[in-house]
Amino acid sequence: MFFIDTIELEGLGNRHYLAGGTDTAVAVDPPRDFDQVLAAAARRGVRITHVVETHIHNDYVTGGMELARVTGAAYLVPAGAHVSFARVPVSDGDTVTVDAGLVLRAVATPGHTPHHTAYVLEEQGTAVAAFTGGSLLIGTVGRPDLVEPRLTEELARAQHASAHRLAAELPDATAVLPTHGFGSFCSSAQAEGDHTTIGREESANTALTTDVGSFVAEILAGLEDVPAYYAHMGPANAAGPAPVDLTPPAVADAGEIADRLAAGEWVVDLRNRVACAEGHVAGSFNFEADGKIATYPAWMIPWGKPVTLLAESPEQLTAAQRELVRVGIDRPAAAVGTAQEWTDEGTSLASFPRSTFAGLAGQGTEHVVVLDVRRDSERADGHIEGSVHIPVHQLHQRLGEVPAGTVWVHCAGGMRAGIAASLLDAAGRDVVAVDDGFDSATAAGLPVVTG
C-alpha cells in the first residue's frame, strides 16, 4: 500500500506532495516553510528518505535543500540544472526505491524549463501517479517563457512533446499531480478542476488535443506579464536558499512608522480592503492578508526595499510573514501586531470611499477617471468604454499616467482595486474603490465593450 498527501499553498497556487509506504517517503517540490511536510510525515509515522525537485522553481523559494539537510534525506535535482550545492543529479530513467515495492522513476519533461523532470511513482512495477511539476498540468501546461525569451518557442514545442511522452508511456488511470496550476503564475492557464488522470488529460488538455503548431501559437499568444520577483527566485534556488527565519520581527511604534514612510519605505496594511478604506495610516499600501499576499507585494515592492507590516492581530502578522518568506521577503524591517498601536493619540487616519458599479453608473463616467487595473486578457474580454487601463502590478511605476480628476478604480472583484486605491490615496489622489464583481458593470448599465 502507498499514500500520497497533498500540501496546498493557496496563496501561491501551488501543491506539494509527500508520498510513501509503510516506513519511508519522498517529498516532492517542498515549500520553503516545510514544517507542514514534516507534520505530514509524523502523522504517517514515516521517515523522509528522499527530497526531489522537478525543476529550479521561478515562483517560490524552495525548502528542498534544507528539508533534506534536516531529515538526512537524499536531495534529488535534475542533472541539467546548474546549481551551487551538493545534490544527487537525476537523469531520465533513473530510479530510487521509496519503500518496499514502491519506486520513483525520473522522466525528462523539458518545456517549463530545459531541465524539467517529472517523477512517476510505481507500485509493484505499475505507474500509479506522476508528479508533473510544471509540465503537464490540469487542462494546460506550465508556461515556457520563464527562463530566457529566446528559448520560449523552443520550450513551448518541448512542452508539447513532453506532454505527449507522458500520455504515451503512462496508463490512463495514472494520477497526474502537478505542482503548478492552481492560481500560480507559472501556469499558462488556470487549471480546470481539482484532480485528473492521464486518460482525462488526453481528452481535455490542449497540449494533447492540438497539433504542435497550433499549440505553440495558442500558448505564446496567451502569455502575460511575468511577476517581477520571479527574476530573483531562480537564482536563489540555484544558489541554495538560506534556512527560513520565522521569528517575530522588530516591533515598530507610531513614530517609527512615520519615519519609515518619510524615508520612502513600504508600509503594508494587511487588513481587509473594507477596514483599510475606512481608516489607515496615510501613505501605507493595502495588501490583504487573505488575498495574494505573497504574489502582489513581491511583484510590486522594489526588490530589497525595507517593508513594515501593519496587522490587526499577531496571528495575521505571523501568517503574512510565513507567506512572504516563500517568495524571498525574508525579514520585515518592522511590524505592528495590533491596529491600536499604529498611530499616536490624536493622529487622524486617512480614508477613501468605496462603491459599486451601480454607484459608478449613478455617478456617470463623463467627469471622472475610470481606471481598470485588471490584466490584459481580462480587459480584452470586456471593459468599460473610455476607461484607462493600467494593470495593478504596473500602477506604482505609472501613477503619472493616471489623468487628473477623481479616480474610480476597479478590477474583477475588488481586491486589486483595493491595492490600487491605496496607492492612489498615498499619492494624494481623490479615489473611489469599486468593490464589486465586474459582471455587475453590464447589469448596472455601464457601456462594456470588447477588444
Side-chain angles (χ1 to χ4, degrees), residues 378-397:
E378 296 173 286
R379 182 171 174 84
D381 288 340
H383 60 272
I384 296 172
E385 189 174 18
S387 59
V388 176
H389 180 226
I390 303 177
V392 69
H393 60 272
Q394 299 176 7
L395 182 59
H396 62 302
Q397 297 174 326

Side-chain angles (χ1 to χ4, degrees), residues 301-345:
I301 297 171
W303 196 253
K305 183 175 281 291
V307 179
T308 296
L309 302 179
L310 307 183
E312 63 184 356
S313 69
E315 293 76 19
Q316 185 181 70
L317 176 60
T318 298
Q321 187 179 351
R322 178 181 285 268
E323 291 271 358
L324 291 172
V325 298
R326 294 169 180 162
V327 292
I329 300 179
D330 284 10
R331 298 293 300 163
V336 184
T338 64
Q340 292 75 23
E341 301 173 282
W342 294 2
T343 58
D344 291 320
E345 185 175 351

Side-chain angles (χ1 to χ4, degrees), residues 29-51:
D29 288 343
R32 193 177 189 192
D33 52 322
F34 53 76
D35 52 338
Q36 295 177 73
V37 181
L38 294 176
R43 286 192 298 270
R44 291 285 185 177
V46 296
R47 180 169 56 91
I48 298 173
T49 55
H50 297 83
V51 177

Side-chain angles (χ1 to χ4, degrees), residues 129-147:
F131 301 103
T132 54
S135 180
L136 187 65
L137 312 184
I138 300 179
T140 184
V141 295
R143 55 193 296 174
D145 61 326
L146 302 181
V147 177

